Amino acid sequence: MLGRGHSPRFDGLAARGAFFANHRSAFPSVTRCCSATIATGCRPARHGIAGNTVALPDGAGGFVVRNVGAPEIFDQLRAAYGRVLKVPTMAQRLAGHGGTVVLSSASPGAAFMQDPDAHGEIYHRSGSRGPGGRSLDDAGLTSEGTIEDDTRLARAFCEEILPRGAALSVLWLSHPDKTMHKVLLGSPDHMASVAAADACLGMVIDAVDAMRAAGEDVLLMAGSDHGHQSVVATVDIDAGLHAAGLKDDLASSEVCFAPQGTSGHIYLAPQARERAEPIAAWLRAQDWAGEVVVGERLAAFGHSGEHGLAIMFCGKELEAPSPDAPGGAVAFHRHDEAPAPIGFGQHGGLGTHEQAPVLIADGGGMRGVCEAASDIADIAPTILAHLGQPVDGMDGRALQTLVSAAAMA
Ligand SMILES: [Zn+2]
């Protein structure tokens, strides 16, 4: 949806910096687990946040689905497992090395997954806080999530946050994603939100150029954590599993479906573990079936089967509903929630477009089109390498080596 006349600043940055042409999201391609992946440089198996929703022990031998976007998720994860993330974030690694400031208009879960244990500063409408959890004066630095708020936040980022000189400054805007969930992809409303986000990027580019002119060595990374596809069908997974005799009741806890937009996770309590293969067979037999991942294959998709996660699945790629829109996808929902609106944007699966986030690295000597595969786990090591910090213990790689290797080839 970029490069169509609505993103002049993005296009200009891509032309002068390094553009990663084969960049991928996590699976599931949903923001709360992507935020943890970007913050840690690790995939979900290592950082411990499997999706936008996760199933946690219900205290009675089964599982209950929890929303990773809600502010309560941090206490819920600590109560269940004694931690939020299993590995350090950039904010933790940079504490005492210049620090981190995050401005975010995303959900509380997505925002605070950047730094759940309060090593740096996060400004967010659900409560801004600094190192050790002390509350911060956040006048003008939070957003209720409108496009206008994103624009105001970008301006505050340039005028108030960047001059503070933190080692890492993060501006996380919820549009165009938030718009795309509510409009037809490719529609004028969608393209207007792309243009608004592009103008925000333009402000940051200008601010970074001014910092460089003043002698600072700045690496500017601009990108998205996932793409979108159009919802062309929806499926109630609880109802399907129950009708097939694979789930005791729509709301039973022994087989727990955790929706991820256009993909889904199924958690099995110990007494239901033998249902993994029958449920996988049922998923594969559906006319909408795409990838179904079970057992040891979870590792190939960056996940582990610990804490009851037994199956990950998504639908097959479908045709787009209009020539202006990217490809279509099936969206999945629980019995007690509304299906996603047909025709609007959604993400979570392995579809071509939802797995095509964008990434530009401008600075650090990186330039040109990089055709080598990259993904969102590479962002943290690239930033830490630029800052001269160790990049040990991460799944991703510093992209500086990838770009210079490609340039020499
Ligand atoms: Zn979204």
Side-chain angles (χ1 to χ4, degrees):
M1 310 312 290
L2 297 165
R4 297 184 181 191
H6 304 278
S7 55
R9 301 304 306 267
F10 181 90
D11 302 343
L13 191 69
R16 85 178 194 192
F19 179 74
F20 295 89
N22 288 295
H23 190 59
R24 285 178 70 83
S25 182
F27 180 45
S29 44
V30 289
T31 291
R32 298 155 204 163
C33 103
C34 286
S35 179
T37 300
I38 289 171
T40 62
C42 292
R43 299 186 210 295
R46 299 268 305 282
H47 64 59
I49 305 299
N52 258 8
T53 63
V54 293
L56 298 180
D58 67 357
F63 284 103
V64 59
V65 168
R66 296 299 187 198
N67 176 7
V68 179
E72 299 78 35
I73 191 64
F74 301 98
D75 286 342
Q76 290 165 346
L77 285 165
R78 288 188 183 104
Y81 305 126
R83 50 80 185 165
V84 178
L85 296 172
K86 294 157 63 180
V87 290
T89 60
M90 285 189 281
Q92 182 171 351
R93 290 168 179 258
L94 292 171
H97 300 280
T100 298
V101 183
V102 178
L103 249 63
S104 176
S105 63
S107 68
F112 284 90
M113 220 46 92
Q114 288 289 303
D115 179 20
D117 297 321
H119 294 280
E121 296 185 1
I122 295 192
Y123 293 88
H124 191 269
R125 59 185 176 274
S126 66
S128 304
R129 56 113 180 98
R134 68 184 163 86
S135 63
L136 296 171
D137 173 13
D138 57 9
L141 296 173
T142 64
S143 155
E144 294 301 320
T146 66
I147 291 179
E148 293 72 25
D149 277 355
D150 270 4
T151 301
R152 189 175 47 70
L153 214 58
R155 186 167 295 120
F157 181 76
C158 296
E159 293 176 355
E160 293 183 46
I161 301 302
L162 288 180
R164 293 188 195 172
L168 170 63
S169 301
V170 179
L171 173 65
W172 191 301
L173 302 178
S174 53
H175 295 274
D177 173 76
K178 202 170 174 183
T179 303
M180 293 164 80
H181 284 286
K182 297 174 181 169
V183 301
L184 296 175
L185 296 187
S187 66
D189 283 344
H190 174 192
M191 299 323 296
S193 77
V194 170
D198 191 64
C200 293
L201 174 62
M203 285 188 245
V204 177
I205 294 170
D206 292 343
V208 166
D209 286 349
M211 292 165 75
R212 287 177 179 158
E216 288 199 53
D217 178 14
V218 183
L219 171 64
L220 169 60
M221 300 195 77
S224 60
D225 58 313
H226 58 72
H228 271 250
Q229 304 208 178
S230 300
V231 175
V232 296
T234 62
V235 176
D236 179 337
I237 290 295
D238 289 332
L241 290 175
H242 180 52
L246 295 164
K247 181 169 164 60
D248 295 351
D249 202 348
L250 286 178
S252 61
S253 64
E254 86 294 355
V255 174
C256 187
F257 166 58
Q260 315 294 342
T262 55
S263 70
H265 293 173
I266 292 174
Y267 290 73
L268 298 177
Q271 71 272 24
R273 231 165 251 161
E274 75 284 358
R275 293 188 215 174
E277 283 303 335
I279 290 173
W282 178 81
L283 289 166
R284 291 189 183 107
Q286 304 307 304
D287 57 7
W288 45 258
E291 188 70 65
V292 177
V293 183
V294 59
E296 289 180 356
R297 278 188 75 230
L298 289 169
F301 291 84
H303 286 260
S304 83
E306 70 171 348
H307 304 315
L309 177 61
I311 301 170
M312 302 173 67
F313 67 93
C314 62
K316 65 183 175 189
E317 186 135 13
L318 298 166
E319 227 167 272
S322 85
D324 291 332
V330 185
F332 304 98
H333 62 100
R334 290 168 50 82
H335 71 282
D336 55 357
E337 63 180 354
I342 298 292
F344 293 0
Q346 187 55 277
H347 51 91
L350 292 168
T352 305
H353 303 279
E354 50 196 347
Q355 282 292 339
V358 291
L359 183 68
I360 299 169
D362 173 62
M366 288 183 276
R367 60 180 63 87
V369 176
C370 179
E371 301 284 353
S374 63
D375 73 73
I376 59 171
D378 298 331
I379 293 171
T382 304
I383 290 168
L384 292 174
H386 183 80
L387 293 170
Q389 295 294 320
V391 295
D392 56 294
M394 294 181 165
D395 292 330
R397 310 147 300 168
L399 292 170
Q400 288 89 339
T401 51
L402 202 65
V403 172
S404 49
M408 281 156 53

